[in-house]
Amino acid sequence: MMSRIWIVRVWVWLTLTVNALSADRIVYPQAAVGPISGQEFVIELKLGNRSPNFPWTGTVRLLEKTTLAGMAAIQVSGPLGPVDALEGEWPVTLSPDGTVSYTVASPDQLQTGVLVVEAAAGSRAAGVVASFFYRLTNPERGKVQDLIAVQPAREAGLSFETLISRSRDFNVGLAMVAEAAVDGAGASVPETEVTLTMTLDGGETLEALISLGGAAPEATAQRAVFPHEVFESLPETFEAARLRIAAAEPIFVTLLGVGTPPLFEDVQIGATPAEVAGSRSLRLREGWEFVPGAEELLAENFWECAGPRIDERPGGLVSRAGPGYETRVNLAGTSLELTGDFGLSALLHAGTGQGYLVAVGSLADGPQWWSNLRRLDLGLEGGRLVVAAYDNSPNPVVRSYFDSGTLQGATAVELARVGSTFEVYADGTLGGSFPDFALTDGGRLWVGTNIAPGSSLTLFGIAAERRQDSPESVASVPPAPREEVAVRNPSLRTEAGRHNLSVGAAAAAGPFFSERIYREILGGVFNQLVAENVMKWSTIHPERDRYSFCSADALVEFAEANGMTVRGHTLVWHQQNPQWLEEVVYSREGLIQILRDHIFEVAGRYRGRIAEWDVLNEAFEWDGTLRQTVWLDGIGEEYIDLVFRWAHEADPEARLFYNDYGTEEINAKSTAVLEYVRGMLERGVPIHGVGFQGHVGIDSWTRPSVDSLLANLQRFRALGLDVALTEVDVRIPLIDGQPSPGQLETQAQVFQEMLEACLEAECSSFVTWGFTDRHSWIPGFTPGYGAALLFDEDYNPKPAYQTLLEMLQGD
Ligand code: XIL
């Protein structure tokens, strides 16, 4: 081990961009250095103004000039020419799109110093970037050394493990800065032994024993700092190594790799989730505390419900994107209720990719829902820390960078709202601030992730914080309960029983998880539940070898807790299939295998718990021919019989349905379905019912003829089959976005006619596709139409609801 110390501790918060904000005084991230001796030390500082419109004025300052005064010489050079460093303050003006750079060099000795860039009062800080870079020369080795990786200091406790990886062969050493807490400057530290054990992937083990203690080479009133070069040169044969650090007393550890530039990006120091689990702790700033119930928002917090490609691993959560951006909001997990200041902290790692922790203040529906959120993304882009704020818009209203050059390993980020300002911290250092943009006006905050195409983000911890002096300002809202809600009396469900009818509604996972009133009406008014989307392939089977039952489980559990039966929707369809299924052409045998596996897996999971399964959805065209789908094309007509046989085997008690739209009346399509199903029955295929979706409207051309509807249902009944209206909604053409009283009356009549026919034909169920106009697929899929359901956007029952209720109350 070396006796001389060639270590520099540097906290570099390198780049900050603030768009479209003006501030009186912005302090840019700063570089702190020290101590160095016997070698040349250089800081390069670059300033760039990315704004095409505004000049920028400010100053660069060297703080702690007194300690700098001890240096033999310090040179500062740049476009302004040599400056007397001891003045330590250089004014700078940046023209639009302009850049300047400085070099601060000390050939000999530097105690400590802090470089700070400050915007002048009143200057407009549009897109100004400050970046620091430093290198030092080690005269003994005669070559330039670079800081190649930094593991941010973390509370190590008595031991912790981390991983080190190297992607190219080159000479690399490892250094460590250990910090011990002291009480007051000059206080000495008790002798502490630190053992470092490094196990290389080839099995080789390196050991080092370091003794800390006594008077520290560098000390503040709080901390004694002991720099050490641990392994001067690591063997050239390893790609990954596991480093275990064990100390007799609690210490803070900063790990540095040392090597030859420009290879510093090839070494990474960082811990895997499981390894961090034992030692990780999110640190609180002074005066703040964790919110009870939200001290840990990762573990067992229903993240899988948030979407595909989220892996919950011990100690961490890995969120990956496919070919597009993936924004996921964890509506199923713990959220926050806010009335005042709050903080959200996370420990994250994105490697060379781009991933963000997302704080969401208002939810939105629709196909492009992620661009309609009011949200704040805090994350990493190739090691650069970035914050982006979205105000119900696809483009951010604020986008700021904090560029550290190479942020390696896990980074602790924190977002705090203090008054009307957001502050962002990285590893405990304030990186920037910007005004609140009504993020939490709704009083609620959800947490999620956003991942760039091809990237992944590892989260080691997320926690919510509040100020100790105002604990009432943040509370945690526990995950959506699966518990019982009160049955409303009278309601459709209390009156339907005597007609031997189930009254159902499709439930959307988003509002189900996030709105209590949604659950209260769903369980209070209906006695059957259908998953509007989450049992479809794209949700429940997102990857070839992976199923995701989180949301479907929640709906089924809720139904069971509330005495509701479940319609399963749907095992086979040509829409909402996952990309992995659509992008590959499988052989017939391969496709049969995939389909069979899916049905056994999904129907098998809910065996005995599903009353009716829509086994096959929409397999016919208007003209009565079979629809060309991935299944018909790849397997042939035989697939239809097969899927019913498999479903029956997987769940023998479920009533198995064929389900379609446009088949409500007697027409070419419904006749073709009738004949096809008759054939299936003759072949002994286990089919028990036919579902008629019932997406209709109040216009004459979308309103079904009662006679034809009834006659149609009855001809299916005559085959001995169950019939059901499975997705009823009655859309209204909207003028000014609102239905007129007359339209609502007509709508009530249409609902009435459909229920009448259903009762007359002894339907097994009458299901509406959603129940509130607040959450309905109609406006998104049939622009100009809406208000198609039984409750309005504010969850008040509409005339149609009253009409159906009164009908069921009669005989
Ligand atoms: C719809 C959902 O309501 C939408 O949220 C989704 O985006 C698309 O699918 N026929 C069906 C249902 O069988 O599964 C469809 O549901 C509506 C048409």
Side-chain angles (χ1 to χ4, degrees):
M1 204 183 305
M2 300 234 334
S3 55
R4 303 242 355 225
I5 292 163
W6 304 115
I7 311 299
V8 177
R9 270 190 320 136
V10 175
W11 291 270
V12 261
W13 292 113
L14 296 178
T15 306
L16 169 65
T17 320
V18 185
N19 283 335
L21 285 179
S22 70
D24 276 353
R25 181 170 176 275
I26 292 183
V27 177
Y28 287 88
Q30 40 187 260
V33 295
I36 309 167
S37 63
Q39 57 197 311
E40 190 180 280
F41 170 77
V42 180
I43 293 180
E44 284 168 14
L45 165 63
K46 290 199 173 92
L47 280 173
N49 182 0
R50 288 181 181 165
S51 161
N53 301 318
F54 302 102
W56 179 90
T57 55
T59 50
V60 178
R61 270 177 221 279
L62 257 177
L63 298 184
E64 301 187 31
K65 284 184 279 186
T66 47
T67 50
L68 289 172
M71 290 188 299
I74 183 165
Q75 297 279 317
V76 178
S77 51
L80 301 174
V83 182
D84 177 0
L86 299 182
E87 282 183 12
E89 180 170 320
W90 311 288
V92 49
T93 300
L94 285 173
S95 56
D97 285 327
T99 58
V100 293
S101 54
Y102 298 97
T103 307
V104 181
S106 162
D108 184 21
Q109 188 129 7
L110 176 66
Q111 291 297 320
T112 56
V114 178
L115 259 186
V116 173
V117 178
E118 264 180 13
S123 86
R124 188 173 174 117
V128 171
V129 176
S131 74
F132 300 92
F133 181 77
Y134 85 98
R135 59 172 195 268
L136 55 144
T137 307
N138 180 334
E140 278 193 0
R141 293 187 195 165
K143 68 183 176 205
V144 174
Q145 299 250 299
D146 258 72
L147 176 73
I148 54 178
V150 180
Q151 169 74 33
R154 72 155 54 105
E155 198 158 6
L158 295 180
S159 79
F160 84 105
E161 284 195 356
T162 190
L163 274 197
I164 297 180
S165 64
R166 175 169 66 170
S167 54
R168 257 201 274 179
D169 272 1
F170 66 103
N171 182 36
V172 59
L174 191 68
M176 178 183 94
V177 177
E179 298 174 41
V182 292
D183 194 8
S188 77
V189 179
E191 201 72 14
T192 303
E193 302 248 292
V194 184
T195 326
L196 293 101
T197 318
M198 196 159 169
T199 313
L200 309 184
D201 42 11
E204 202 181 335
T205 301
L206 310 175
E207 282 218 350
L209 185 70
I210 290 169
S211 186
L212 311 174
E218 193 196 335
T220 65
Q222 289 86 34
R223 282 178 178 192
V225 178
F226 300 90
H228 275 274
E229 184 147 3
V230 188
F231 300 109
E232 188 184 339
S233 167
L234 295 171
E236 285 181 13
T237 47
F238 85 98
E239 283 178 15
R242 180 179 303 272
L243 177 68
R244 184 178 163 75
I245 301 176
E249 298 282 333
I251 52 168
F252 297 87
V253 170
T254 302
L255 287 174
L256 315 173
V258 242
T260 317
L263 300 175
F264 46 86
E265 285 187 351
D266 294 321
V267 174
Q268 298 209 351
I269 300 176
T272 63
E275 288 158 351
V276 173
S279 61
R280 172 198 32 76
S281 62
L282 289 168
R283 285 201 244 152
L284 285 162
R285 278 179 298 120
E286 188 125 345
W288 291 69
E289 64 184 19
F290 290 122
V291 175
E295 304 95 335
E296 175 50 274
L297 296 174
L298 281 188
E300 289 169 33
N301 200 22
F302 301 102
W303 278 90
E304 192 197 321
C305 283
R309 288 188 280 266
I310 285 201
D311 285 331
E312 290 185 58
R313 302 202 184 135
L317 183 91
V318 181
S319 193
R320 286 169 294 140
Y325 271 90
E326 283 194 32
T327 311
R328 299 165 186 137
V329 188
N330 186 6
L331 300 177
T334 301
S335 59
L336 302 172
E337 219 159 51
L338 303 169
T339 51
D341 291 353
F342 74 95
L344 195 64
S345 269
L347 206 58
L348 38 89
H349 177 58
T352 52
Q354 302 183 4
Y356 318 83
L357 172 77
V358 182
V360 179
S362 80
L363 301 174
D365 281 324
Q368 289 256 310
W369 61 270
W370 56 87
S371 64
N372 298 324
L373 298 172
R374 183 168 290 157
R375 68 177 224 246
L376 220 146
D377 288 18
L378 185 59
L380 296 164
E381 295 183 0
R384 286 208 301 176
L385 187 66
V386 60
V387 62
Y390 297 83
D391 190 6
N392 289 320
S393 57
N395 296 315
V397 290
V398 172
R399 190 175 184 82
S400 306
Y401 283 96
F402 311 79
D403 188 355
S404 67
T406 48
L407 266 181
Q408 306 282 7
T411 301
V413 298
E414 185 184 357
L415 170 78
R417 189 184 59 198
V418 179
S420 55
T421 303
F422 275 115
E423 294 177 349
V424 180
Y425 296 82
D427 286 329
T429 305
L430 179 65
S433 61
F434 50 92
D436 189 1
F437 55 102
L439 175 71
T440 58
D441 274 11
R444 193 83 183 266
L445 198 78
W446 288 270
V447 177
T449 64
N450 182 26
I451 316 292
S455 289
S456 76
L457 177 76
T458 306
L459 283 151
F460 303 105
I462 307 176
E465 296 140 12
R466 62 191 188 189
R467 299 167 70 117
Q468 278 162 357
D469 56 13
S470 57
E472 72 292 341
S473 60
V474 195
S476 63
V477 183
R482 276 79 169 142
E483 72 209 19
E484 218 179 313
V485 298
V487 170
R488 301 198 172 186
N489 192 1
S491 68
L492 299 185
R493 71 176 285 174
T494 60
E495 308 308 303
R498 73 180 114 132
H499 301 274
N500 212 6
L501 177 77
S502 294
V503 280
F512 172 82
F513 285 128
S514 58
E515 291 179 55
R516 165 166 284 272
I517 175 92
Y518 189 92
R519 296 192 296 273
E520 281 170 353
I521 296 181
L522 180 64
V525 168
F526 300 93
N527 61 11
Q528 189 169 68
L529 185 153
V530 195
E532 185 170 345
N533 288 303
V534 298
M535 283 191 187
K536 295 171 181 174
W537 279 61
S538 54
T539 303
I540 214 163
H541 195 168
E543 291 170 68
R544 173 78 184 85
D545 298 315
R546 182 176 159 160
Y547 293 84
S548 177
F549 295 110
C550 185
S551 298
D553 282 356
L555 291 178
V556 172
E557 284 164 25
F558 177 83
E560 289 172 345
N562 287 286
M564 307 168 84
T565 55
V566 179
R567 293 199 87 247
H569 177 83
T570 168
L571 292 172
V572 188
W573 197 21
H574 63 286
Q575 284 186 23
Q576 287 178 276
N577 282 329
Q579 196 172 353
W580 65 263
L581 179 66
E582 298 201 320
E583 70 193 1
V584 176
V585 179
Y586 293 94
S587 69
R588 181 168 188 273
E589 292 64 43
L591 211 53
I592 287 176
Q593 182 74 42
I594 286 170
L595 189 53
R596 187 176 187 283
D597 286 353
H598 178 91
I599 289 172
F600 275 92
E601 189 74 32
V602 177
R605 181 178 184 90
Y606 300 111
R607 186 185 174 110
R609 301 164 73 188
I610 303 277
E612 302 174 351
W613 256 117
D614 285 337
V615 175
L616 178 58
N617 199 32
E618 303 180 354
F620 283 84
E621 297 282 5
W622 282 110
D623 66 1
T625 56
L626 282 177
R627 187 191 292 273
Q628 302 255 277
T629 67
V630 57
W631 309 117
L632 181 68
D633 296 351
I635 300 176
E637 196 181 325
E638 200 195 341
Y639 90 92
I640 297 182
D641 288 3
L642 283 174
V643 295
F644 279 89
R645 292 187 194 281
W646 291 330
H648 185 57
E649 226 185 296
D651 188 356
E653 280 167 43
R655 305 288 289 171
L656 304 184
F657 276 65
Y658 174 77
N659 191 53
D660 213 331
Y661 64 87
T663 47
E664 294 80 11
E665 297 180 17
I666 293 181
N667 57 31
K669 188 173 181 178
S670 62
T671 302
V673 172
L674 182 81
E675 292 315 319
Y676 203 92
V677 169
R678 191 200 306 277
M680 291 171 75
L681 290 170
E682 284 165 7
R683 292 192 292 278
V685 177
I687 179 167
H688 311 114
V690 173
F692 304 85
Q693 292 183 3
H695 296 291
V696 301
I698 62 165
D699 294 320
S700 57
W701 62 92
T702 51
R703 179 175 181 166
S705 134
V706 203
D707 294 346
S708 186
L709 173 61
L710 179 58
N712 190 40
L713 296 179
Q714 281 170 335
R715 67 180 180 155
F716 279 87
R717 291 285 288 141
L719 292 181
L721 292 166
D722 291 347
V723 293
L725 295 186
T726 53
E727 303 183 14
V728 179
D729 44 26
V730 180
R731 60 186 180 271
I732 293 177
L734 296 178
I735 301 142
D736 299 332
Q738 288 303 318
S740 70
Q743 286 176 316
L744 291 176
E745 271 319 308
T746 311
Q747 180 182 53
Q749 281 163 25
V750 178
F751 267 108
Q752 176 173 11
E753 288 165 6
M754 295 186 75
L755 181 58
E756 256 166 22
C758 193
L759 288 172
E760 183 72 32
E762 298 179 328
C763 272
S764 57
S765 14
F766 183 88
V767 183
T768 55
W769 204 239
F771 57 90
T772 164
D773 294 338
R774 193 183 189 90
H775 303 291
S776 158
W777 76 306
I778 291 298
F781 280 78
T782 320
Y785 288 80
L789 291 166
L790 298 175
F791 290 78
D792 68 16
E793 294 189 352
D794 298 320
Y795 292 103
N796 298 310
K798 291 159 66 181
Y801 179 80
Q802 285 308 333
T803 303
L804 295 192
L805 182 62
E806 282 158 26
M807 268 181 76
L808 291 175
Q809 283 172 324
D811 308 317

